[in-house]
Amino acid sequence: MRVNGDVRAIQLDTRTTLLDALREHLQLTGSKKGCDHGQCGACTVMVNGQRIYSCLTLAVMHDGDAITTIEGLGQPGNLHPMQAAFVRHDGYQCGYCTPGQICASVAALEEIKAGVPSHVTADLMAMPQVTAEELRERMSGNICRCGAYSNIVDAITEVAGRQA
Amino acid sequence: MKFDTPATSNPIDQLKVVGHPVDRIDGPRKTTGTAPYAYERHDVARNQAYGHVLGAGIGKGRVTAMDTAAARAAPGVVAIVTTLDMPRLEKGPRNTASLFGGPDVQHYHQAIAVVVAETFEQARDAAAMIRVEYARQPGRFDLAAEGPKAQLASAESGEGGAAPQEDRTGDFEGAFARAPVKLDETYTTPDESHAMMEPHATIAAWDGETLTLWTSNQMIAWGRTDVAKTLGIPEENVRLDSPFIGGGFGGKLFLRADAVLAALGAKAARRPVKLALARPLMANNTTHRPATIQRIRIGAQPDGRITAIAHESLSGDLEGGGPETAVAQTKLLYAGANRLTAMRLAVLDLPEGNAMRAPGEAPGLMALEVAMDEMAERLGIDPIAFRVVNDTQVDPEAPDRPFSQRQLIECLRTGAERFGWSRRSATPGQRREGRWLVGMGVAAGFRNNLVMASGARVRLDGSGGVTVETDMTDIGTGSYTIIAQTAAEMMGVPLDRVTVRLGDSSFPVSAGSGGQWGGNSSTAGVYAACVKLREAVAQRLGFNSAEAVFADGEVRAGNHSAPLGQAAGADGMVAEDTIEYGDLAKRYQQSTFAGHFVEVGVDAATGETRVRRMLAVCAAGRILNPKSARSQVIGAMTMGVGAALMEELAVDKRHGFFVNHDLAGYEVPVHADIPHQEVIFLDEVDPISSPMKAKGVGELGICGVGAAVANAMYNATGVRLRDYPMTLDKMIDRLPQVV
Ligand code: FES
Ligand code: FES
């Protein structure tokens, strides 16, 4: 696999999820395990540019894939604009859902830009817009039990505005 | 430092750093995934093996046999410890159910084995190979059915609200009988799960007789004592380290099975063991907020004055457990000469009930504040006006005891103005927008302010840098940041010259995170240590410490000034102190207040409820950091919406367990459920509370929200629900006929 730009070769148990390959074998613990069952979104990473629950996919299915994790987006001192916006808007509390929220946010804005509709997109022929309603719908696979939702949407909106 | 007289002016009042909405200092680490949570400490111990916990498959009974042969022979297995290998372990005073050991099963998913293997996958699969035989016993799983056998019970919630088993002031029955307007209704709240995002997790390593636990725990000192007690080892031999905690909400206040079984597994495996409770184990293995059945009676004069108020609550717990203190706020929130509160406790064989965010008040206000709304309607008085009429500035049970501050009326009035309350129709079911019936609701928020002794150590180095060490935890509350702000203010240095180290039991014992006492108490502890350090610095410089001003990295007194680092010298200086409290909390009632406003739309055809707007106006003393405090409040409001509309652990009353024990079955609010939320903090400083003049705010935010949602739903539809969560199935056949 190519993980955050580096080629990583690892031998794994076929039962090992992509999430555990990252956290336990590559020691990239930025991706979180909240449920291990595809119910929370804490493990969200990007595979070949698309967001995915890394706990719901086996690592062996990703031979040769390009994986981007939270560590690949930015580091302390060199934050990705979305990471910086989360800090500014206090888009987190305990921080455990945060890497997943940030990966999902970055991917969700790309999806909107690419014209991918969502459940709340009224007109499937028109380009979806970055509205609070679209963001809330698209981010609903990422639970934040601390309840930072209102601030997370503010952070994403700011980044989207700057991108546009 | 003993805090036994109200605070006068002190260096915190400068508000150069404290009181500002600064970004969290741990933000860059949390947003880049580099903040290390318990399970992620690859660096702290070499050769970590993986543990997997097996939970009991019955609700009550005994384990008669465990066949571990296949599991022991499975690839990679290093050790297996079963509950039959040892007698029931001792337990700390804060646990009700035993955490491990012995054949008896007290509740479903109680831990009965830990399997240690080379990999996570091997440990999990081997655990599934253990064959367990049980002797099942009948259990008591139905709260309503056990109600008639319930006994009166008093309690401290352990995390705030407290109430004696029965409390009477005046003659409730007589006054209620005579009251011209009255209400007598029953409200129910379900069992709820903390569902924090980070599962309970621990890495355990033994070094001879000493044990280190890298874990996820809100209360380090409690945890350390209880580990020692449970494992029968001296407390000095135990170290806990929890620098980052992925949410707790009360679920990580106490020692849990993850820590105990990691320690036992590590001992058996003779190497460090890491384990996390699997998500589907958490709801039944750990604690939950207990269900309640609450009866409220209110009698009033036609002008709205309450003359009689009674609140009785029934809840259940395991033998030896305690009640949910749902009546606590009713002792203090409204005036009224004749009062009764009582709690009854039924013995249930369900998992252990215990503190969850605002234990007592959260479910208590979900009942009381709906009753107040119903009563206002019967009186024909606006719900805000009704609360204003019944405001009290003194403890209604002890009128010589004033509130230190009480701005409930201001909260409600400010909120009404801001929210557009005047546009609400007093008659329900009047506002229709497309498919939505729209309504507004209000509720009072109330939560006591608790103060706890809290210690800290502050170090000054030769370059003028300041390091704070305390076993205080940051569970998302912002402790790192407000502690740094406190030290920066006290020592006169910029925020980036302060380093904060938390959550290690080798640091001074703090208040810990619970009962919304953490922010105020832990910063007051840092204040005390800084006062000591300032005195030492002034003394070393030969300055009069009373005159010394600490600012801009310098100490000044009269015509003299010196850089802070100069006093510290090459070896640095250290001071340590603990804030302790006198009887101010007895002489004054210290509480925090809120006005919660909610607007909902209820689908006219399906009964689905969507929250459209939310506002909380809070009066909670000095707000140390408005940014992180606001987050605490919106997070609690979100949990309040969950409690109102969706959260419920469904009880299997035949077999005795919570059925929906994962994040797919136990629904919590997601992004799509939560609108933009607004929070206003009223200007307030409370010198009675602490030298920080702050109070708790983290739990106030949930107190009353559920009732505000319920009242808004009633205003939208005319359908009054008294049974939480208020799901559409309870609404749909009662909706008004609309064309
Ligand atoms: S850990 Fe993957 S969705 Fe929860
Ligand atoms: S920040 Fe704690 S779960 Fe989102």
Side-chain angles (χ1 to χ4, degrees):
Chain A
M1 304 188 287
R2 187 174 282 276
V3 181
N4 299 328
D6 298 334
V7 177
R8 308 294 298 259
I10 33 175
Q11 291 255 327
L12 290 170
D13 191 316
T14 49
R15 298 167 295 187
T16 304
T17 61
L18 176 58
L19 177 62
D20 282 329
L22 294 167
R23 278 169 65 84
E24 304 305 321
H25 298 267
L26 300 178
Q27 302 198 359
L28 289 169
T29 53
S31 306
K32 303 303 181 194
K33 186 186 280 191
C35 68
D36 217 9
H37 290 75
Q39 302 168 344
C40 76
C43 62
T44 305
V45 301
M46 283 173 268
V47 175
N48 303 330
Q50 287 202 320
R51 57 177 162 159
I52 184 171
Y53 285 171
S54 62
C55 72
L56 272 196
T57 187
L58 296 170
V60 291
M61 296 157 70
H62 296 283
D63 195 18
D65 282 350
I67 319 289
T68 304
T69 70
I70 191 73
E71 291 92 343
L73 287 182
Q75 303 77 41
N78 177 34
L79 298 180
H80 182 280
M82 192 65 81
Q83 292 169 322
F86 268 62
V87 174
R88 242 185 335 273
H89 289 275
D90 217 38
Y92 52 73
Q93 289 171 43
C94 77
Y96 200 77
C97 74
T98 311
Q101 301 276 357
I102 291 173
C103 287
S105 305
V106 170
L109 289 185
E110 289 301 320
E111 288 157 21
I112 294 177
K113 215 187 269 173
V116 180
S118 83
H119 174 66
V120 300
T121 311
D123 180 355
L124 295 183
M125 302 312 287
M127 281 299 281
Q129 302 298 309
V130 182
T131 61
E133 194 192 10
E134 281 281 1
L135 292 177
R136 285 186 196 121
E137 169 60 28
R138 289 167 193 266
M139 291 298 294
S140 280
N142 289 79
I143 293 173
C144 176
R145 184 57 161 163
C146 292
Y149 298 128
S150 185
N151 289 353
I152 293 171
V153 170
D154 288 350
I156 305 173
T157 305
E158 184 195 301
V159 173
R162 210 180 285 147
Q163 277 181 349
Chain B
M1 175 183 290
K2 183 100 177 180
F3 182 76
D4 50 11
T5 50
T8 52
S9 72
N10 68 44
I12 297 296
D13 298 327
Q14 302 172 92
L15 299 181
K16 287 183 186 163
V17 195
V18 169
H20 293 259
V22 301
D23 293 345
R24 290 179 200 237
I25 62 172
D26 49 342
R29 283 206 276 174
K30 283 180 173 168
T31 54
T32 55
T34 50
Y37 297 83
Y39 195 80
E40 301 167 355
R41 313 284 298 268
H42 289 287
D43 56 321
V44 294
R46 283 156 49 124
N47 201 24
Q48 296 172 19
Y50 289 81
H52 188 87
V53 176
L54 184 67
I58 60 168
K60 186 169 172 61
R62 252 171 351 100
V63 176
T64 53
M66 292 178 82
D67 177 358
T68 58
R72 283 184 203 277
V77 171
V78 180
I80 296 177
V81 183
T82 80
T83 199
L84 299 181
D85 296 344
M86 61 192 73
R88 182 183 285 188
L89 295 179
E90 288 280 325
K91 63 179 181 61
R94 300 168 189 93
N95 292 104
T96 304
S98 153
L99 292 173
F100 196 67
D104 292 338
V105 175
Q106 296 167 289
H107 64 84
Y108 188 75
H109 273 174
Q110 193 166 24
I112 55 169
V114 59
V115 176
V116 180
E118 295 293 342
T119 71
F120 170 70
E121 294 80 11
Q122 290 170 335
R124 183 183 56 193
D125 285 10
M129 293 176 195
I130 298 177
R131 292 280 150 260
V132 188
E133 281 171 40
Y134 300 100
R136 208 189 268 268
Q137 289 163 8
R140 296 151 288 187
F141 306 125
D142 185 343
L143 176 62
E146 297 301 318
K149 282 176 264 169
Q151 300 290 318
L152 280 170
S154 64
E156 297 272 347
S157 68
E159 213 218 21
Q165 48 186 355
E166 190 174 71
D167 219 351
R168 289 178 172 277
T169 305
D171 166 24
F172 169 76
E173 280 80 4
F176 185 68
R178 285 190 303 276
V181 184
K182 44 185 144 196
L183 165 138
D184 180 353
E185 293 290 355
T186 296
Y187 306 83
T188 59
T189 64
D191 297 287
E192 292 175 9
S193 187
H194 307 85
M196 72 297 275
M197 290 297 295
E198 181 207 20
H200 299 76
T202 300
I203 300 174
W206 292 88
D207 179 6
E209 295 302 306
T210 63
L211 172 65
T212 304
L213 299 171
W214 294 272
T215 188
S216 186
N217 191 296
Q218 299 173 225
M219 298 293 296
I220 298 301
W222 290 2
R224 186 180 186 216
T225 319
D226 292 352
V227 168
K229 177 102 190 283
T230 305
L231 299 179
I233 57 177
E235 205 175 312
E236 315 76 82
N237 291 5
V238 180
R239 181 178 155 230
L240 261 66
D241 188 30
S242 289
F244 289 94
I245 295 155
F249 314 115
K252 294 175 182 167
L253 282 169
F254 314 110
L255 178 67
R256 298 300 320 165
D258 59 306
V260 172
L261 291 183
L264 292 175
K267 185 134 235 181
R270 298 171 180 279
R271 60 193 265 202
V273 166
K274 65 190 281 185
L275 64 81
L277 298 186
R279 175 62 63 178
L281 201 73
M282 288 168 62
N284 286 284
N285 176 271
T286 72
T287 61
H288 66 278
R289 188 200 298 284
T292 64
I293 300 174
Q294 303 177 48
R295 180 185 185 196
I296 295 182
R297 285 172 287 172
I298 303 175
Q301 295 299 308
D303 64 2
R305 274 179 307 118
I306 293 173
T307 52
I309 183 163
H311 193 164
E312 295 160 279
S313 174
L314 166 71
S315 60
D317 202 358
L318 288 164
E319 192 88 56
E324 178 73 15
T325 54
V327 306
Q329 73 288 318
T330 309
K331 295 160 58 58
L332 290 161
L333 191 47
Y334 297 114
N338 303 289
R339 321 174 66 87
L340 163 66
T341 55
M343 293 185 294
R344 282 177 182 76
L345 178 64
V347 177
L348 294 181
D349 298 299
L350 288 170
E352 174 174 340
N354 218 318
M356 176 168 151
R357 199 172 202 167
E361 280 94 336
L365 285 161
M366 285 162 77
L368 178 64
E369 287 300 286
V370 173
M372 288 295 285
D373 200 69
E374 296 194 60
M375 194 63 190
E377 189 182 37
R378 286 182 199 187
L379 287 157
I381 300 178
D382 177 81
I384 293 177
F386 179 47
R387 289 174 173 90
V388 169
V389 168
N390 288 292
D391 189 47
T392 170
Q393 293 293 317
V394 298
D395 176 348
E397 294 178 358
D400 55 344
R401 220 174 139 250
F403 283 91
S404 61
Q405 299 270 356
R406 179 171 163 127
Q407 297 202 70
L408 175 60
I409 295 180
E410 291 74 7
C411 289
L412 292 168
R413 290 206 169 127
T414 305
E417 173 91 358
R418 183 65 167 246
F419 203 66
W421 185 252
S422 59
R423 293 199 302 274
R424 168 185 175 270
S425 160
T427 314
Q430 300 300 302
R431 188 168 150 208
R432 180 86 192 257
E433 291 179 14
R435 53 191 259 236
W436 301 103
L437 294 162
V438 180
M440 285 188 224
V442 69
F446 173 90
R447 175 78 173 147
N448 281 338
N449 178 60
L450 303 167
V451 289
M452 296 272 280
S454 195
R457 183 155 61 219
V458 187
R459 208 181 293 279
L460 178 63
D461 66 37
S463 71
V466 176
T467 302
V468 184
E469 293 175 337
T470 161
D471 85 354
M472 181 61 193
T473 48
D474 190 329
I475 62 173
T477 37
S479 310
Y480 277 105
T481 310
I482 56 173
I483 284 173
Q485 287 175 274
T486 304
E489 192 84 61
M490 290 300 290
M491 301 312 297
V493 299
L495 196 59
D496 62 8
R497 297 310 316 276
V498 182
T499 306
V500 180
R501 300 175 63 201
L502 300 181
D504 188 327
S505 62
S506 65
F507 300 155
V509 173
S510 73
S513 300
Q516 81 167 9
W517 62 60
N520 178 46
S521 299
S522 70
T523 52
V526 173
Y527 168 91
C530 287
V531 167
K532 238 189 194 174
L533 184 59
R534 285 164 58 111
E535 278 164 13
V537 166
Q539 200 173 20
R540 184 171 289 183
L541 291 170
F543 292 178
N544 176 349
S545 72
E547 281 176 33
V549 174
F550 290 67
D552 310 318
E554 289 188 343
V555 194
R556 298 177 201 130
N559 299 330
H560 305 287
S561 79
L564 201 51
Q566 185 184 315
D571 294 341
M573 295 175 74
V574 184
E576 182 174 329
D577 202 3
T578 296
I579 188 97
E580 286 164 312
Y581 295 89
D583 67 348
L584 285 172
K586 287 210 185 71
R587 281 157 51 203
Y588 296 88
Q589 177 56 41
Q590 300 180 25
S591 303
T592 61
F593 298 88
H596 284 292
F597 293 80
V598 170
E599 182 178 280
V600 300
V602 179
D603 190 303
T606 68
E608 176 192 4
T609 298
R610 308 286 303 162
V611 176
R612 295 157 62 113
R613 292 195 296 137
M614 296 186 84
L615 164 69
V617 183
C618 301
R622 172 177 280 155
I623 300 302
L624 302 175
N625 180 332
K627 186 177 276 195
S628 54
R630 178 180 172 282
S631 286
Q632 281 290 286
V633 176
I634 66 168
M637 290 158 77
T638 301
M639 202 176 268
V641 170
L645 294 179
M646 61 195 83
E647 291 185 38
E648 173 177 24
L649 285 167
V651 181
D652 181 319
K653 291 174 186 162
R654 297 158 307 159
H655 299 115
F657 70 106
F658 298 130
V659 181
N660 50 342
H661 50 76
D662 63 21
L663 288 172
Y666 185 83
E667 293 184 7
V668 300
V670 299
H671 275 276
D673 297 314
I674 301 299
H676 179 76
Q677 294 163 317
E678 203 183 341
V679 180
I680 297 171
F681 293 112
L682 295 186
D683 264 339
E684 183 174 298
V685 286
D686 194 336
I688 311 280
S689 164
S690 83
M692 303 303 293
K693 304 176 187 173
K695 289 191 282 202
V697 74
E699 297 185 338
L700 176 64
I702 194 174
C703 292
V705 173
V709 174
N711 296 339
M713 288 168 72
Y714 176 74
N715 184 244
T717 62
V719 179
R720 180 65 77 180
L721 298 182
R722 302 185 184 89
D723 177 25
Y724 292 96
M726 300 176 292
T727 44
L728 75 183
D729 52 302
K730 296 172 186 167
M731 176 71 90
I732 192 163
D733 59 349
R734 297 166 61 191
L735 282 169
Q737 286 300 319
V738 284
V739 199

